[in-house]
Amino acid sequence: MYLIQRSKATSLGFGLCLITLLGCDAQAPASSSADLTPQERQIWPQIDSAIARDEHQEAAIVQWLEQMTLEQKVGQMIQAELKQVTPEDVKQYHLGSILNGGGSFPNNDKLATIDDWLATADAFYHASMDTSGGGLAIPVMWGTDAVHGHNNVVGATLFPHNIGLGATHNPQLIRQIGAATAREVAVTGIDWVFAPTVATVRDDRWGRTYEGYSETPALIKQYAEQMTIGLQGSAHSSQLLDETRVVATAKHFIGDGGTLGGIDRGNNLSPEQELFDLHGQGYVSALSAGVQRVMASFNSWQGEKLHGSQYLLTEVLKNRMGFDGFVVGDWNGHAFVPGCSTKSCPQAINAGLDMFMAPDADWKELYHNTIQQVRAGDIPLQRIDDAVSRILRVKLRAGLFDKGAPSTRAVAGREEILGSPEHRAIARQAVRESLVLLKNKNALLPLDPKLNVLVAGDGADHIGKQSGGWTLSWQGTGNANSDFPGATSIFDGIESAVEAAGGSATLSPDARYEQRPDVAIVVFGEDPYAEGQGDVQTLEYQPDGHTDLALLKRLKAAGIPVISVFLSGRPLWVNKELNASDAFVAAWLPGSEGAGVADVLFRQADGQIHYDFVGKLTFSWPNQPHHTTLNDDDKTYQPLFAQDYGLSVKDQDTLTDNLAEVIDGAAESPTDQARSLFVSRALPPWQLLIGDTEYGQVPVNGNTVTIPQVETLTITAINKEVQEDARQVLWSGRSLGEVLLQGQANGHDLTDMLQKNGALSLELRIDSEPTDKVHVRMDCGSQCTGSLEIRETLLQLKPKQWLPFSIDLRCFAQAGADFTHITKPLVLTTRGELSLSFANVKLEPGLADRANYQCGGNTNSGIAAY
Ligand code: BGC
Ligand code: BGC
């Protein structure tokens, strides 16, 4: 049965769709608009796509549909992930598409070569064209997240993330970047990219802030259009979807940047007019430029998941706006629609989803269930025909039936194009133009390149950090400079600029020096993250510890002029860091061409200024850490730096060194609140590590990490409520293995949590019982610890079930932990075999007396309620 969940307009549109069996087709728009109020009717305009209907293509589609079996049709509607699909599957199930997710490569090899990519693309293509098992030959289409260049491929040019491109205010350049990205993708034989993100970011706590160009819809409208044209080619030229271009996807429809609290995959509560005005503008221009695909979003609108919204997907996007390409789902996005799972979701198809993104191994079940649901009448065949028509239409427009095998296309395999000097030059220009100068006391910049320059900060020589998320791995973590052949770190650029002019540059991440430098450039900022793992609770930079600030202050105290180059995926509250700097540059996430930074920081050797700062903010910069939804159209707008701010070196800067460093009253009193240590990822200042007494420790970067050689334990990111929000740890029993959260070496004062009757709490699932003792510890330095043995308590938990689990903090204190300087708030060890999963680790005031583990090893019967 259909699930009908929302609004008058929804059920009505749906009813018509059922009755006429036509209303779901863009060719025959539902006439439900007759029943809308005049105001509702005006919200969503009809968009004329630059790519017009071609009657020959439409006739061919009708003919093919007549020849296709239901199995082949449903196969077209499924996109499986590289790790879970073989060419044989594509042939057998007639799959319409495959994708490689972030950090997914041919043969699971991060260093896969262009030939590997092409061979893989060819194998899938040939399988799709092989009709020996019956069916029609319909080329499979491969989609990838080329969101800042072809970022899953080693050696590709990595452009600044969209937040930086926004700051360039250069639509022409954005178009060139689209074209360069398309060429690099085409080199590897891939047809389709999941870009551009056209989100209007309204709360900068959102972990995907950097994927957006701006907080201002008018700018997004401009840039989304240019990126679409760059990727696909202009619809008014012969370059449209030629062999050097790829099909674009406007994502994530709709309202992803406007969720309450900036929570990824959260709920957007905008009234409908605002949904269009604020969050719909990127679609207006991308659709008119001819974007062929729209990705449904994970978020909800007014409580309803977009993947299940017949009103927004069908009535608004297809019928009223006139979109005739296809709607692809997001990564298992259908599974979150009420009543659905990864394996079954007729609701999404009925709502208007045309292709499931089904990355898990269970896509086959989804396929069989969908066929079954059509047979049972739960999904009208006409809806399937509409979806398949759309998919075929896009494949025709993309020329896939004519382009031949991926390796035979115009630029396929041309190594010199991937990371070419021309593309790197475009990226370097983008870096230069994206830098926003926020402070320049006493006209310190531009620098004379003949100086002796100290280059400090952990971002100075770290290409992974300067590139952010979606870089060779989903989260962008786990990369070394050697993973970026041809790229330059920010230090590399400074070094060559300075050395060419006769100065000197010394790299010293911790800013220690032997010879006193003339100036110091400190490159620091956020570590890479992607999606919900980047959601934060406050915009304060380094709320626990301000370690970079200490470094800045040390230099300042020594009288050395300090230039801060700040890497971040969002504007952050850095008043303290600004005060401690003489000049301050917001550099965003520049990507592989770090040399673009030095281009602007220094004069030429002859004293000329070659490149001035031209970047301007497209995001308002906060004056308080809780100013998370500061946007330029706010009534009470009091940013530190307004939208469009950005100095030139010629401007006289009057910013003081005395910006307010106190957080004003509206801010929470942190002690009454739980302090989170791990939410989807370890939250700064904590770091997640695994270790073995013999081998030592390794940081947990990436979704599966083990202790090399000995494999004492392995940790894997798993899904609990949302993707990769939990970790599963498997102890092999070979030797003593540990998983831990670690903070700064000098520790953190957590006495407030102890005094407030706090407990260490987490969500826990015992996957296989411990065969030996299990210890949980809190450490306070190398010789200071409080250790508890918890095997008995664990054995009393119901296995294979997520349960809240907590330990009274006083027990750690009694066992020896000194809460004035906790270095590791959680260490879990065993010599035996054990498998457990955990999520949401926090210190929670007031929970001590109800904690599962009470001092002396007593276990509270019954599970403590949160
Ligand atoms: C990302 C993928 C990634 C995956 C890891 C997804 O949300 O978009 O590209 O590989 O998570 O589980
Ligand atoms: C993300 C999308 C991405 C997709 C494929 C999802 O998790 O939300 O932006 O395109 O995965 O990797």
Side-chain angles (χ1 to χ4, degrees), residues 99 145 194 208 251-252 295 298 330-331 357 470 531:
L99 86 149
D145 286 289
F194 305 125
R208 309 191 78 156
K251 74 184 188 185
H252 310 80
M295 188 183 289
F298 275 118
D330 202 345
W331 191 273
M357 188 184 286
W470 297 106
E531 301 190 41

Side-chain angles (χ1 to χ4, degrees), residues 49-52 141 192 228 232 240-241 247-250 286-287 289-294 323-328 390 393-395 397-398:
S49 169
I51 303 184
M141 193 161 220
W192 162 11
T228 303
Q232 297 195 156
L240 177 67
L241 290 169
V247 181
T249 312
L287 257 56
V291 83
Q292 289 299 295
R293 248 169 307 229
V294 169
F323 175 61
D324 71 355
F326 73 83
V327 177
V328 63
R390 291 167 175 275
R393 183 177 299 132
V394 174
K395 290 186 174 183
R397 287 174 173 168

Side-chain angles (χ1 to χ4, degrees), residues 289-307:
V291 83
Q292 289 299 295
R293 248 169 307 229
V294 169
M295 188 183 289
S297 190
F298 275 118
N299 66 270
S300 307
W301 178 50
Q302 298 187 354
E304 188 187 26
K305 285 280 171 197
L306 252 299
H307 280 69

Side-chain angles (χ1 to χ4, degrees), residues 314-337:
T314 298
E315 175 59 23
V316 165
L317 177 63
K318 295 179 177 176
N319 293 349
R320 291 199 223 164
M321 297 179 90
F323 175 61
D324 71 355
F326 73 83
V327 177
V328 63
D330 202 345
W331 191 273
N332 276 332
H334 54 275
F336 301 93
V337 174

